[in-house]
């Protein structure tokens, strides 16, 4: 099973570890593309601060992120699973997984990134600020930039098992499963069901969407569930107590869409 996650906008500080070693990152086929994006980002942030802030879409209060990006090559690095924070990662709780679940997480979780393309949670990186929606002056939109490199490495990374795609729309732009890989891919939507005047109403949630996805992944990791395809995933999630609505795609070469229905949002 391969689980595709979005990163978080907010990130923990890099701590006091050794700096980035690009050769030590997962998916070595992305090394050249990563170096190109890193060069562009460091160059941008080492120049005109106002231009960099505009390109990165940073508010005045986040001005310090520009200087942080300028020093990425020498900044201390730590595992990506410790760098990424926020609602999904809080609910996932990587730091509190037992040893077996942690090994499964390191084997199966892949975090998509505007700067790095995609990373394993054990990959050591510095704290940075660069979303997939950014358009770097020398490269253009990062979502489009990453499509070529990701198309080269992701089919092999997906292997022959289930792909659970929990990315947000900005990050799906970098790689979309195709063909037989798509057929064993499941995407997830979280719906909040509530009664209004005796009628059930459903709505897509945002903040709680992330929390539910984090809990879902944690459940799979801690129980050791290893569904081989989307149909087995539906069964596994129902066995774990989740309310899941799904059906096989009408056409070949399409992913499954799973609706996780929740009645309480937290």
């Amino acid at each position: 099973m391969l689980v595709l996650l979005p990163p978080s906008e907010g990130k923990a500080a890099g701590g006091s570890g050794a700096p980035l070693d690009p050769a030590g990152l997962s998916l070595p086929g992305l090394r050249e593309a990563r170096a190109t994006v890193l060069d562009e980002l460091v160059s941008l942030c080492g120049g005109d601060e106002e231009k960099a802030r505009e390109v990165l879409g940073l508010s005045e209060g986040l001005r310090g992120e520009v200087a942080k990006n300028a020093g990425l090559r020498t900044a201390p690095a730590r595992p990506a699973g410790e760098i990424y924070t926020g609602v999904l990662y809080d609910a996932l709780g990587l730091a509190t997984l037992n040893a077996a679940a942690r090994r499964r997480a390191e084997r199966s979780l892949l975090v998509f990134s505007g700067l790095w393309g995609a990373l394993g949670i054990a990959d050591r990186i510095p704290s940075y600020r660069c979303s997939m929606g950014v358009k770097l002056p020398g490269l253009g939109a990062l979502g489009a930039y990453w499509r070529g490199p990701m198309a080269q490495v992701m089919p092999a990374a997906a292997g022959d098992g289930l792909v659970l795609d929990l990315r947000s729309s900005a990050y799906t732009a970098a790689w979309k499963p195709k063909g037989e890989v798509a057929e064993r891919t499941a995407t997830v939507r979280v719906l909040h069901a509530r009664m209004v005047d005796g009628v059930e109403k459903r709505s897509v949630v945002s903040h709680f969407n992330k929390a539910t996805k984090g809990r879902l992944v944690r459940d799979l990791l801690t129980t050791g569930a290893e569904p081989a395809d989307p149909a087995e995933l539906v069964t596994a999630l129902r066995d774990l107590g989740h309310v899941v609505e799904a059906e096989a795609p009408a056409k070949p070469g399409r992913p499954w869409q799973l609706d996780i229905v929740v009645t309480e949002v937290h």
Side-chain angles (χ1 to χ4, degrees):
M1 177 175 66
L2 182 67
V3 182
L4 310 182
L5 298 175
S8 59
E9 286 296 321
K11 298 173 183 69
S16 58
L20 171 73
D21 175 13
L25 301 180
S26 302
L27 303 177
L30 297 178
R31 188 178 302 173
E32 184 176 340
R34 287 170 176 150
T36 299
V37 180
L38 181 61
D39 286 346
E40 287 288 332
L41 182 61
V42 170
S43 176
L44 170 70
C45 292
D48 186 327
E49 185 180 80
E50 287 304 317
K51 177 182 178 181
R53 195 161 67 87
E54 180 181 352
V55 169
L56 296 175
L58 300 176
S59 66
E60 176 66 31
L62 294 173
R63 180 181 293 274
E65 299 293 289
V66 174
K68 183 167 71 174
N69 281 348
L72 285 174
R73 291 194 179 89
T74 57
R78 61 196 289 195
E82 298 176 13
I83 289 288
Y84 294 118
T85 60
V87 176
L88 188 153
Y89 291 91
D90 287 346
L92 174 53
L94 290 169
T96 61
L97 293 176
N98 63 35
R102 179 73 186 197
R103 287 192 295 271
R104 286 190 285 272
E106 292 179 357
R107 184 175 67 245
S108 62
L109 304 187
L110 204 60
V111 183
F112 272 60
S113 162
L115 175 53
W116 312 111
L119 297 161
I121 62 165
D123 289 347
R124 296 181 68 261
I125 58 170
S127 182
Y128 68 96
R129 192 82 175 207
C130 184
S131 71
M132 191 68 79
V134 164
K135 296 181 179 180
L136 290 176
L139 298 178
L142 289 175
Y145 170 82
W146 281 112
R147 284 176 198 153
M150 297 302 287
Q152 296 298 313
V153 303
M154 283 305 300
D160 57 4
L162 169 71
V163 178
L164 176 54
D165 190 352
L166 302 179
R167 296 172 296 164
S168 53
S169 58
Y171 291 88
T172 60
W175 181 67
K176 294 183 179 180
K178 297 180 179 180
E180 62 89 18
V181 179
E183 293 175 2
R184 48 188 168 84
T185 296
T187 62
V188 169
R189 180 175 63 168
V190 179
L191 298 177
H192 178 211
R194 65 194 190 282
M195 300 301 294
V196 179
D197 297 329
V199 179
E200 183 182 80
K201 301 289 186 179
R202 292 183 175 186
S203 58
V204 177
V205 292
S206 177
H207 174 94
F208 304 106
N209 165 63
K210 297 175 184 177
T212 300
K213 288 179 177 178
R215 287 191 288 268
L216 181 153
V217 175
R218 184 180 178 89
D219 286 347
L220 292 171
L221 295 173
T222 55
T223 59
E226 291 284 355
D229 57 40
E232 289 190 15
L233 174 64
V234 172
T235 299
L237 292 176
R238 287 173 175 165
D239 288 345
L240 289 168
H242 296 278
V243 178
V244 185
E245 297 179 355
E247 60 182 32
K251 297 181 179 180
R254 301 283 181 86
W256 288 51
Q257 179 172 306
L258 278 55
D259 286 341
I260 309 296
V261 183
V262 299
T263 56
E264 296 182 4
V265 288
H266 55 86

